[in-house]
Amino acid sequence: MEVQQEEVRVVWYVPIHSNYSQVENTAPFLQLPGTTAKVFFYSWNPDSAKMQAEYATTARWPNVQVHQFNPKSLVTELVKDATEGKRIIVLLTASTNYGFGRAQLTLFSDIRTALPGVIVDVVPIGHCMYGCESCGMREHQIPLFFARYMGGTLPYTTQDVYREYIEPQLSPSSQQKKKSVLICPSVGQLSMLSSDSMIRRIVSFQKQFGDRYVFVVKLHGFCHYTSESESSSGEQAVQPHPLHSLSAQERANAALLKANFAVVREQHYNILPFLATFDVILTDLDSSVAFEALYFSDRLSVVAFMHKTHTREKHIDEEQEYRSLLHLFQTEEDLVRILTNDELHGSEETETESEKRKGKEKEKREGKEKRNGRYFFEKKYGTPDGKEVAKLSAARDWKALFETAARYAAEKLPAANDLEAALDSLLVLEQDSTKETREKDKRKRKESSEEVSVLDYLAYGLTIPPALITYTLFVRNHQSQLESLKVPPVLWKALYNKLQNEIFDAGRVVQFAQMADDDDDDDEDNEDNDSEEEGATKGEGKADSETEADGEDKGGEADGEEDEEIASTLPSRRMRLQVGAEEGLKANSDIFIIDHAWTTSPELAKEQLRATPSLTSRMVTLMEIPEEQSEEAKLDAIWHGLWRYGSTYRVLDADSDPDGRPVWYVMDEVGTSVSHYEEFGNDAPNVAVVPFIFGDKGISYSLMWPLQDCEQGDLLCRDFLAADKSKRGAAIKRLAFGFPIKQSDKSSFESSLASHREKLSAISQALFAKSSSSSSRICMSLSLSPPSTPVHTMPALQAAESTAQLKVYSDIDFLQKALTSPFFTFVSSMKDADIIFLAGDVEEIQSFDLRPGQIINQFPGEECVTHKNRLVETIRRYWGNDAEGDWLPVTYNLNSELHLFVAHFWENAAKHSDNTWIVKPWNKARGLEITITNTLPCVTRMVETGPKLVSRYLSTPALYKGCKFDLRYIVLVRNVAPLDVYVYRMFWIRVANKPFALVDFDDYQKHFTVMNYTGFQLQQILYTEFIKQFESEHPGVEWDKTIQPQINSMFKAIFVAASQPATSPSWQGLVPAGLTQEQEIQDQTKQFRGLYGMDVMIDGDLTPQLLEVNFSPDCKRAVAYDADFYNDVFSVMFLDNWSTRAPNV
């Protein structure tokens, strides 16, 4: 049809799926004189009415028309504008980094491709800039967000921002002293808003830093989605957005910020006037706000939260440069340090500091490249000047596109009715179309490997089928889990359907098969055995006989035909699972849910079995445990069977352990009947079996799907050793599952143990030769009296004989009540403190910005003693084998030394020696994940739950009133060159509640002493009473002469080892790497102190045994026993002439 030729008339089409948060990138177009804009609102947008009212404001948006986004409305407007000769450009704010943005782009790109005279261009303009993951697929690098700010056409200015948000919080006297901080949390799992502790800490800043800062909060746009309805409590109810819903945690934290700070109005969506007004921006590394703020970095400090799991896929050099321009923090302590030190713009400068700064600025100006924030910004986006729309027009070559569209319109544009029909055919999806269109749509999506999703329905403005909604929510909640388990996406929909309807239909295609015992009559089984051999020849195990009964293994030993193999002592499994369906089972053709018969933990397993007789009965049958034995014997057999039949996964449990807790489970009879693929000579598994947590119902299952094509009669087999890729790891895991291992592996383990012992012996011999002139390997016990002369004197430590007080900053609340010494006073600012005493570890303590004279209660590298795995390494590398077996229980790191432990276990078993061991996590406390066992499979499987150590369990400990006990000492490290260590005389006692016996390892009150965090009785025993009772129970023992000196010597030995200079990159102790001379070590460590909780047991021969070393131990109990505890501790750690003030040290 012919179109009247006239001046190009542009119409902007803008689909609105959000709220004010994504207005700014389209605003320069919508307010462009001489153009018209049509904004289309999705009905599912909870803020649709609010945003329609905004765009209906003609004073701000004189060129904008408002429409509903649906196929009918869109077609009507497209036909109207096309026939009137208008040139339509579609602007998409939804990021094409996400599925919805891609669905929108597909929709309008299809229209443009089919009818190029209707839509001239489709531009994903995005809504974020560098720094936010949403900008990952941006098709241009033009800072549209800056256009109206640079052009001076925003509806509010920096003066407005100051008057509304900052000025009301200032008193006349404070206007020149307070700096302003804008808190801008992003959203998502890696944001501050998802950290309860971080938000609570930020809320506390009002009180802590209110005299220094003015705080204002600008929330992410997603935090403003609301509906008009009211909740039952009278508060405005949150209407979930189908694309941008916040978690309950994020909503709660957003509400907490709203309740405690002045909050920026939603209508003030453009942040640039705020960045130009405030002194400090507190945001997330994952937010584009951090990047946008760099444009103002000549006057603005950008403080960004970097989550500990934060990763980037951008070029590493570029990312490192970006991060170097920000003040990054990961912990609350990091943030406090930044806010209390002179790291931020606006701090008062001395004349000398000002001259230095001006000199550096001059150097930057004269340099070839100005390496600052604005330079980085402009390198990515150019210099904003308010002409960004024109830049985009040139980049997209709209002039040429207009000419092409005009030629098409003049020659090929269909008549109005035909155009409407053509558009109608492009605006349908599979379930809403004719058969012909559905087939066309299927073919198109098959070519692109995509299915119609809920995002397509949302993008097209169509009603979403309810089943598709629930499936989409399932995928959203489980996608990361499904991907990590490598469940093929083609099976997700079938899995969802089975989970939702609890369909356990493996019986349709599989059946049980019972394997023959080795002692069965050869004649009876000859035919079946021939059949099995045929199956093995073709690489598929075949069953001997079929059965309908549930059951498990028991029978002949594993195949040991080759001399190199050592057969397992465990019986081989009898019950197997085979393909029963005549048509077989094709790879990735189906997925099956396997129920979990038992979910437990090692410490609760027997208790559960005792409480549930039916569970015990089922496990006896499933594990083929003989019935003719006592109930307790059955429980023991089931507990041991857990390591053969069980599997494990971790679940998040923020209340008890932020790293999650391990869960052990045994699958039902179907799952436990799946074999290991090597048992029948197969080259690879033919099914996968993985644990899966169905979050919608909070239930755990296992999933099974075929990896290969299987015929009827094929045995189903998986890979039991999949998690252990190394030859050594797989060999060890074979032991737990009852598979044979190679003689060469066994010999290798034993040889490695011998080499390990020789290495430790060589270290001990070298140390002996070096110190042969000394009267003792440990030259002296720890002194309980003050040193004769102080090692060094610092200006900050001169308060002992004066009226001056040392200023203390601490985040330990009760310390302010416990520390009453007149020589110390508390300050609220880390910057003003002489002493910084923190509860938590400080990341990168060596680079902590301490001013001269400040002291902190942490040494660099102190994890060499506070992490259990590093503690053993530290002691070994200095003392060799002098410690292990003497005052350090023999210990192995299960992540690197499991083979050594296995060889040691075999050695003990051969000698009939005690083989009781205790398994502990590397770096946990409070008795979490600790297991006592005398079974090898238990230890070998424990590695699957996270990094672990295994130590010899003290099977003959010294007892207190018949019960096991341990002791908590407080040890202070004042210097490392020379070593200056003190022990607090008072210790506290932790006692088990039941008499000790080397049985019932799952009985917590018999074998464990830490009762503080349990519901069990906690015994309070004064150390003097303990000593008196202990001496009465052990005649001839004088604690202060026989026991305490040994403990002191042990403590000294630990810190002698920890204070050695680093000799390899893999180990660092309390001395920073690269330092070897005593004077330089003193200079570099004089601002560090250490306070450690040392846990000790006494063996039956009255030898102290080290259990672990703890940083920042909980000392409330010590204060309860001794009101002067912290007075003594602080005097020793921070005063030079402390002796008269710390009688207990």
Side-chain angles (χ1 to χ4, degrees):
M1 63 178 289
E2 293 187 4
V3 179
Q4 183 179 359
Q5 297 296 314
E6 56 183 273
E7 183 180 353
V8 174
R9 291 175 294 169
V10 177
V11 182
W12 312 105
Y13 274 43
V14 183
I16 301 293
H17 71 286
S18 185
N19 54 11
Y20 283 102
S21 63
Q22 295 172 9
V23 166
E24 194 54 41
N25 279 333
T26 60
F29 301 90
L30 273 56
Q31 294 181 342
L32 195 67
T35 65
T36 303
K38 295 185 177 182
V39 293
F40 295 84
F41 288 91
Y42 288 102
S43 60
W44 46 258
N45 182 355
D47 276 357
S48 178
K50 178 170 61 180
M51 297 311 297
Q52 287 185 60
E54 167 64 28
Y55 283 110
T57 307
T58 55
R60 286 195 294 273
W61 310 101
N63 308 325
V64 174
Q65 300 175 17
V66 174
H67 301 275
Q68 292 296 314
F69 193 113
N70 56 61
K72 181 178 180 180
S73 174
L74 186 59
V75 167
T76 299
E77 297 306 315
L78 285 170
V79 171
K80 176 182 176 183
D81 291 330
T83 55
E84 290 179 359
K86 296 179 181 178
R87 303 294 172 249
I88 299 169
I89 296 177
V90 180
L91 306 174
L92 302 179
T93 60
S95 170
T96 51
N97 208 32
Y98 304 121
F100 177 75
R102 292 193 294 272
Q104 275 192 328
L105 183 60
T106 298
L107 165 63
F108 288 105
S109 295
D110 285 350
I111 296 174
R112 184 189 178 206
T113 300
L115 302 165
V118 177
I119 294 180
V120 173
D121 198 6
V122 182
V123 189
I125 59 175
H127 56 265
C128 292
M129 302 184 76
Y130 182 89
C132 178
E133 296 297 338
S134 297
C135 77
M137 295 181 69
R138 177 181 287 275
E139 296 186 4
H140 62 83
Q141 293 297 117
I142 298 172
L144 294 168
F145 192 78
F146 278 67
R148 291 204 301 167
Y149 174 75
M150 301 305 295
T153 58
L154 276 173
Y156 52 94
T157 66
T158 55
Q159 290 81 6
D160 296 327
V161 168
Y162 181 83
R163 284 194 295 267
E164 183 168 349
Y165 299 109
I166 298 177
E167 192 173 47
Q169 299 189 61
L170 296 175
S171 62
S173 61
S174 66
Q175 290 188 14
Q176 301 303 318
K177 295 179 181 179
K178 288 189 179 182
K179 286 186 286 187
S180 54
V181 178
L182 184 66
I183 304 169
C184 303
S186 185
V187 293
Q189 292 182 344
L190 302 185
S191 73
M192 290 185 287
L193 212 56
S194 291
S195 172
D196 294 341
S197 61
M198 187 64 71
I199 294 300
R200 287 195 299 268
R201 193 71 178 91
I202 290 172
V203 167
S204 73
F205 289 169
Q206 283 280 41
K207 180 179 179 181
Q208 184 175 358
F209 299 121
D211 59 334
R212 302 180 60 182
Y213 293 107
V214 169
F215 294 100
V216 177
V217 168
K218 190 177 191 306
L219 293 171
H220 192 284
F222 294 178
C223 299
H224 295 290
Y225 285 117
T226 55
S227 69
E228 296 301 322
S229 61
E230 299 293 318
S231 67
S232 58
S233 63
E235 298 177 353
Q236 196 170 35
V238 173
Q239 176 68 39
H241 191 287
L243 301 175
H244 306 313
S245 295
L246 301 181
S247 67
Q249 181 184 38
E250 289 174 303
R251 287 198 299 270
N253 283 329
L256 193 60
L257 292 175
K258 289 179 182 179
N260 288 277
F261 294 100
V263 178
V264 174
R265 289 189 288 125
E266 184 185 6
Q267 292 80 1
H268 287 170
Y269 41 84
N270 192 312
I271 198 173
L272 299 181
F274 292 84
L275 300 180
T277 304
F278 279 75
D279 301 305
V280 180
I281 301 298
L282 176 56
T283 186
D284 287 286
L285 180 60
D286 237 354
S287 169
S288 61
V289 169
F291 173 76
E292 292 155 3
L294 292 183
Y295 184 78
F296 305 89
S297 61
D298 57 336
R299 56 159 306 281
L300 176 70
S301 292
V302 187
V303 182
F305 174 62
M306 182 172 68
H307 192 275
K308 63 180 180 180
T309 61
H310 192 92
T311 58
R312 286 283 185 175
E313 295 181 357
K314 297 187 175 75
H315 296 299
I316 189 65
D317 291 342
E318 177 182 77
E319 183 64 15
Q320 289 301 321
E321 181 182 1
Y322 176 49
R323 294 185 182 190
S324 70
L325 299 169
L326 311 173
H327 298 279
L328 297 178
F329 68 97
Q330 286 190 314
T331 66
E332 300 153 43
E333 291 75 20
D334 292 341
L335 178 56
V336 171
R337 172 177 56 82
I338 291 171
L339 292 178
T340 55
N341 282 294
D342 292 327
E343 296 188 22
L344 306 179
H345 283 290
S347 57
E348 296 181 6
E349 298 175 315
T350 64
E351 188 173 346
T352 303
E353 290 171 339
S354 177
E355 291 173 357
K356 288 181 179 179
R357 179 181 55 79
K358 291 177 181 178
K360 289 180 180 179
E361 290 175 353
K362 183 179 180 182
E363 290 176 7
K364 286 181 180 179
R365 287 194 299 271
E366 294 174 351
K368 293 182 179 179
E369 292 183 337
K370 190 177 181 182
R371 296 285 181 180
N372 61 13
R374 181 170 290 191
Y375 166 81
F376 185 85
F377 179 99
E378 292 179 344
K379 183 172 67 172
K380 295 288 296 178
Y381 282 83
T383 303
D385 57 7
K387 301 177 182 178
E388 282 67 32
V389 173
K391 292 177 182 177
L392 183 63
S393 175
R396 304 287 294 190
D397 199 5
W398 282 344
K399 182 178 181 181
L401 293 178
F402 288 151
E403 293 172 356
T404 300
R407 287 194 298 271
Y408 177 91
E411 300 170 5
K412 301 179 182 180
L413 190 68
N417 290 340
D418 294 334
L419 178 58
E420 184 173 344
L423 288 168
D424 281 337
S425 68
L426 293 168
L427 286 165
V428 293
L429 290 173
E430 182 179 332
Q431 297 185 31
D432 301 279
S433 57
T434 64
K435 180 178 179 181
E436 180 181 353
T437 307
R438 280 200 299 271
E439 293 303 317
K440 179 180 177 182
D441 188 62
K442 282 183 177 180
R443 287 195 297 273
K444 181 177 71 174
R445 291 181 178 277
K446 186 175 182 181
E447 292 170 1
S448 63
S449 301
E450 292 183 5
E451 291 185 0
V452 174
S453 73
V454 69
L455 297 177
D456 294 299
Y457 280 89
L458 290 174
Y460 281 55
L462 298 171
T463 301
I464 307 169
L468 186 56
I469 294 176
T470 54
Y471 171 66
T472 302
L473 292 174
F474 165 78
V475 172
R476 176 189 292 182
N477 295 334
H478 299 88
Q479 183 168 356
S480 61
Q481 186 182 178
L482 291 167
E483 289 175 343
S484 67
L485 296 173
K486 298 181 180 179
V487 179
V490 69
L491 298 176
W492 291 4
K493 191 165 286 187
L495 172 63
Y496 163 74
N497 188 47
K498 292 184 179 185
L499 289 168
Q500 197 69 24
N501 297 288
E502 297 185 355
I503 299 174
F504 298 87
D505 62 341
R508 290 188 299 105
V509 292
V510 302
Q511 61 190 16
F512 293 118
Q514 186 166 325
M515 307 305 292
D517 292 333
D518 286 350
D519 58 357
D520 281 350
D521 185 88
D522 292 338
D523 291 336
E524 292 180 9
D525 293 329
N526 187 59
E527 185 176 338
D528 289 332
N529 288 338
D530 290 341
S531 174
E532 181 183 340
E533 288 171 7
E534 289 177 11
T537 301
K538 59 186 279 190
E540 297 283 355
K542 298 286 186 178
D544 292 313
S545 59
E546 299 174 6
T547 179
E548 305 233 343
D550 292 343
E552 252 303 327
D553 63 273
K554 191 179 179 183
E557 293 183 348
D559 185 8
E561 293 179 1
E562 298 182 10
D563 291 338
E564 294 181 356
E565 285 191 342
I566 303 174
S568 169
T569 57
L570 297 174
S572 63
R573 302 180 178 213
R574 289 184 60 203
M575 195 60 66
R576 309 293 180 174
L577 202 66
Q578 68 176 14
V579 177
E582 185 176 347
E583 66 275 14
L585 190 59
K586 300 296 182 183
N588 293 338
S589 62
D590 206 344
I591 190 166
F592 306 100
I593 306 172
I594 297 174
D595 203 2
H596 290 172
W598 184 25
T599 300
T600 188
S601 62
E603 63 274 14
L604 297 177
K606 288 187 178 180
E607 182 181 334
Q608 289 177 336
L609 293 168
R610 291 188 186 99
T612 316
S614 60
L615 174 63
T616 302
S617 178
R618 186 178 185 184
M619 289 299 108
V620 165
T621 302
L622 188 149
M623 297 180 182
E624 288 199 352
I625 295 169
E627 290 279 1
E628 300 78 18
Q629 54 183 322
S630 69
E631 288 303 310
E632 282 302 311
K634 290 178 183 178
L635 297 188
D636 284 338
I638 294 171
W639 194 88
H640 285 81
L642 180 60
W643 316 115
R644 187 181 190 189
Y645 293 94
S647 299
T648 186
Y649 57 86
R650 294 190 79 87
V651 294
L652 294 179
D653 189 358
D655 292 335
S656 62
D657 187 353
D659 295 326
R661 57 182 175 84
V663 173
W664 288 87
Y665 64 94
V666 176
M667 291 181 286
D668 66 12
E669 289 73 10
V670 171
T672 53
S673 296
V674 179
S675 313
H676 178 55
Y677 75 96
E678 293 177 324
E679 291 184 80
F680 302 102
N682 291 13
D683 296 327
N686 55 25
V687 296
V689 179
V690 297
F692 177 79
I693 300 176
F694 185 28
D696 292 3
K697 295 185 178 181
I699 303 174
S700 63
Y701 298 106
S702 286
L703 310 178
M704 180 176 71
W705 70 93
L707 301 172
Q708 302 176 3
D709 293 347
C710 302
E711 299 176 5
Q712 184 181 26
D714 287 346
L715 289 170
L716 296 184
C717 50
R718 63 187 179 100
D719 186 358
F720 281 60
L721 314 177
D724 295 285
K725 301 301 182 184
S726 68
K727 180 175 179 292
R728 177 185 290 166
I732 293 171
K733 201 166 184 179
R734 288 173 179 276
L735 298 169
F737 291 115
F739 306 144
I741 67 167
K742 301 280 188 182
Q743 175 63 52
S744 58
D745 289 327
K746 184 174 187 295
S747 299
S748 173
F749 295 173
E750 293 169 341
S751 175
S752 296
L753 178 61
S755 298
H756 170 73
R757 288 169 170 169
E758 289 172 3
K759 179 181 177 180
L760 295 181
S761 179
I763 293 173
S764 295
Q765 291 173 11
L767 183 61
F768 181 80
K770 182 179 178 181
S771 59
S772 59
S773 59
S774 301
S775 59
S776 171
R777 298 294 301 282
I778 303 176
C779 299
M780 57 176 292
S781 301
L782 282 179
S783 174
L784 298 184
S785 59
S788 55
T789 57
V791 175
H792 61 262
T793 300
M794 295 183 62
L797 307 182
Q798 300 296 312
E801 298 299 336
S802 69
T803 57
Q805 291 179 307
L806 294 180
K807 300 173 183 176
V808 178
Y809 170 85
S810 180
D811 57 358
I812 303 173
D813 294 335
F814 79 95
L815 183 61
Q816 294 200 29
K817 295 181 179 179
L819 181 60
T820 59
S821 168
F823 298 103
F824 304 96
T825 187
F826 286 91
V827 292
S828 60
S829 167
M830 199 181 293
K831 172 187 173 182
D832 299 330
D834 300 308
I835 298 165
I836 300 171
F837 202 88
L838 303 177
D841 284 317
V842 175
E843 299 282 345
E844 302 295 334
I845 181 64
Q846 205 166 339
S847 60
F848 195 88
D849 190 19
L850 293 171
R851 61 172 171 75
Q854 274 189 322
I855 297 177
I856 191 168
N857 66 322
Q858 185 173 334
F859 273 92
E862 66 182 11
E863 60 270 16
C864 72
V865 291
T866 59
H867 290 191
K868 297 182 185 72
N869 58 315
R870 298 290 305 279
L871 173 63
V872 174
E873 179 187 359
T874 296
I875 294 171
R876 279 182 185 168
R877 68 185 299 276
Y878 185 80
W879 293 108
N881 61 4
D882 277 8
E884 279 192 290
D886 182 9
W887 49 268
L888 177 71
V890 175
T891 300
Y892 296 99
N893 183 336
L894 293 183
N895 283 60
S896 58
E897 298 174 340
L898 180 55
H899 62 300
L900 304 181
F901 165 75
V902 170
H904 195 151
F905 191 96
W906 284 336
E907 180 181 84
N908 283 357
K911 296 177 181 178
H912 302 287
S913 300
D914 178 61
N915 237 345
T916 309
W917 300 81
I918 183 166
V919 183
K920 302 178 181 180
W922 278 5
N923 194 29
K924 290 185 185 295
R926 298 184 293 166
L928 295 173
E929 295 184 42
I930 296 179
T931 302
I932 303 167
T933 183
N934 55 13
T935 176
L936 182 60
C938 173
V939 179
T940 59
R941 294 295 307 280
M942 280 295 169
V943 184
E944 299 172 40
T945 64
K948 298 286 191 299
L949 296 173
V950 62
S951 299
R952 183 181 69 85
Y953 186 62
L954 300 187
S955 55
T956 57
L959 303 177
Y960 175 82
K961 296 184 178 180
C963 296
K964 180 179 174 180
F965 69 89
D966 66 36
L967 312 174
R968 163 63 62 86
Y969 279 88
I970 297 300
V971 172
L972 314 175
V973 179
R974 186 178 166 104
N975 299 296
V976 294
L979 186 61
D980 198 10
V981 184
Y982 304 92
V983 62
Y984 203 76
R985 290 184 187 275
M986 182 191 71
F987 52 87
W988 55 94
I989 302 92
R990 301 181 296 197
V991 184
N993 290 332
K994 293 182 180 180
F996 177 80
L998 202 60
V999 293
D1000 303 330
F1001 297 137
D1002 60 319
D1003 190 336
Y1004 189 94
Q1005 296 191 80
K1006 180 178 293 183
H1007 290 278
F1008 292 84
T1009 61
V1010 179
M1011 303 296 168
N1012 311 47
Y1013 310 100
T1014 70
F1016 301 129
Q1017 176 188 356
L1018 173 64
Q1019 300 184 53
Q1020 304 279 6
I1021 305 170
L1022 192 62
Y1023 80 108
T1024 52
E1025 295 175 0
F1026 167 83
I1027 293 174
K1028 183 178 179 180
Q1029 177 66 29
F1030 188 87
E1031 290 177 344
S1032 69
E1033 292 182 23
H1034 299 81
V1037 171
E1038 294 185 54
W1039 186 271
D1040 287 342
K1041 293 182 179 180
T1042 56
I1043 306 295
Q1044 190 64 54
Q1046 293 183 73
I1047 294 174
N1048 293 345
S1049 294
M1050 178 176 68
F1051 290 162
K1052 180 175 181 180
I1054 294 165
F1055 287 102
V1056 164
S1059 59
Q1060 298 303 306
T1063 55
S1064 70
S1066 63
W1067 181 88
Q1068 180 185 321
L1070 303 181
V1071 174
L1075 303 183
T1076 57
Q1077 301 302 312
E1078 182 169 304
Q1079 187 59 52
E1080 64 179 358
I1081 294 174
Q1082 285 185 20
D1083 292 341
Q1084 293 295 318
T1085 61
K1086 63 185 180 182
Q1087 292 181 269
F1088 305 122
R1089 300 288 189 273
L1091 183 152
Y1092 306 100
M1094 315 285 281
D1095 292 343
V1096 178
M1097 281 186 66
I1098 310 297
D1099 209 346
D1101 62 0
L1102 302 183
T1103 302
Q1105 299 288 310
L1106 177 68
L1107 301 183
E1108 62 186 43
V1109 179
N1110 298 275
F1111 166 76
S1112 188
D1114 183 355
C1115 293
K1116 289 182 179 178
R1117 194 170 175 183
V1119 174
Y1121 286 140
D1122 181 358
D1124 284 326
F1125 173 79
Y1126 272 116
N1127 294 334
D1128 292 343
V1129 165
F1130 267 64
S1131 294
V1132 173
M1133 292 180 74
F1134 305 115
L1135 299 180
D1136 279 334
N1137 50 347
W1138 56 270
S1139 58
T1140 59
R1141 313 187 199 290
N1144 288 316
V1145 183

